[in-house]
């Protein structure tokens, strides 16, 4: 394939990245022509489905004012917190700051509408046969 005189390079984030990566996703043949483009984060054309890490919430002790990174992909070995396993899979961790010190129940099924906190959505999941 003959390369054009257009030059794309570097890392793109935000709206510009969304449009460029969306186009590249639709026309994957151009990915060879534009080898320097790296798409970051969740792309608008992707609808990744998180892995159900567990069908019960995790009880954790949080410290008021401390930042935490909640796993949204379900692949982290340090559930319910992120360990970077999402990289290249269309997910990004969710940063949150604890409002108070004490126990909290964090979602592990990744179906909650109140992330990172459990809202009972795991009760509606089909359980595997024992």
């Amino acid at each position: 394939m003959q390369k054009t005189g257009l030059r794309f390079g570097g890392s793109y984030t935000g709206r510009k990245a969304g449009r460029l990566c969306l186009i590249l996703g639709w026309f994957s043949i151009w990915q060879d022509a534009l080898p320097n483009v790296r798409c970051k984060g969740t792309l608008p054309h992707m609808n990744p489905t998180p892995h159900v890490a567990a069908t019960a919430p995790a009880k954790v002790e949080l410290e008021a004012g401390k930042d935490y990174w909640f796993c949204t992909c379900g692949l982290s070995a340090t559930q319910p917190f992120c360990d970077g396993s999402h990289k290249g899979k269309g997910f990004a961790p969710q940063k949150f700051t604890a409002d108070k010190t004490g126990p909290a129940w964090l979602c592990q099924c990744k179906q909650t509408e109140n992330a990172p906190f459990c809202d009972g959505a795991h009760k509606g999941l089909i359980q595997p046969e024992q």
Side-chain angles (χ1 to χ4, degrees):
M1 169 181 265
Q2 182 178 5
K3 295 191 179 188
T4 67
L6 297 173
R7 291 182 181 240
F8 293 95
S11 296
Y12 295 86
T13 57
R15 184 173 283 174
K16 183 187 276 186
R19 282 183 284 207
L20 180 60
C21 293
L22 179 62
I23 291 167
L24 290 176
W26 285 342
F27 302 102
S28 60
I29 192 168
W30 286 100
Q31 289 176 346
D32 293 333
L34 304 171
N36 295 327
V37 174
R38 301 287 179 259
C39 300
K40 290 185 174 182
T42 303
L43 304 179
H45 69 285
M46 296 177 74
N47 188 13
T49 303
H51 174 76
V52 176
T55 55
K59 183 179 180 183
V60 297
E61 290 292 323
L62 300 179
E63 184 180 321
K66 185 176 177 182
D67 292 334
Y68 297 90
W69 294 93
F70 174 68
C71 169
T72 60
C73 70
L75 299 173
S76 173
T78 59
Q79 287 294 328
F81 302 109
C82 178
D83 69 358
S85 296
H86 64 274
K87 292 182 180 167
K89 295 178 177 64
F91 290 92
Q94 178 181 337
K95 180 181 176 183
F96 73 98
T97 305
D99 292 333
K100 59 184 180 177
T101 297
W105 294 94
L106 301 187
C107 177
Q108 293 192 98
C109 75
K110 311 306 174 189
Q111 309 301 310
T112 184
E113 295 291 327
N114 188 31
F117 304 100
C118 176
D119 66 0
H122 61 275
K123 294 174 185 173
L125 296 176
I126 297 173
Q127 301 295 319
E129 293 184 27
Q130 300 279 334

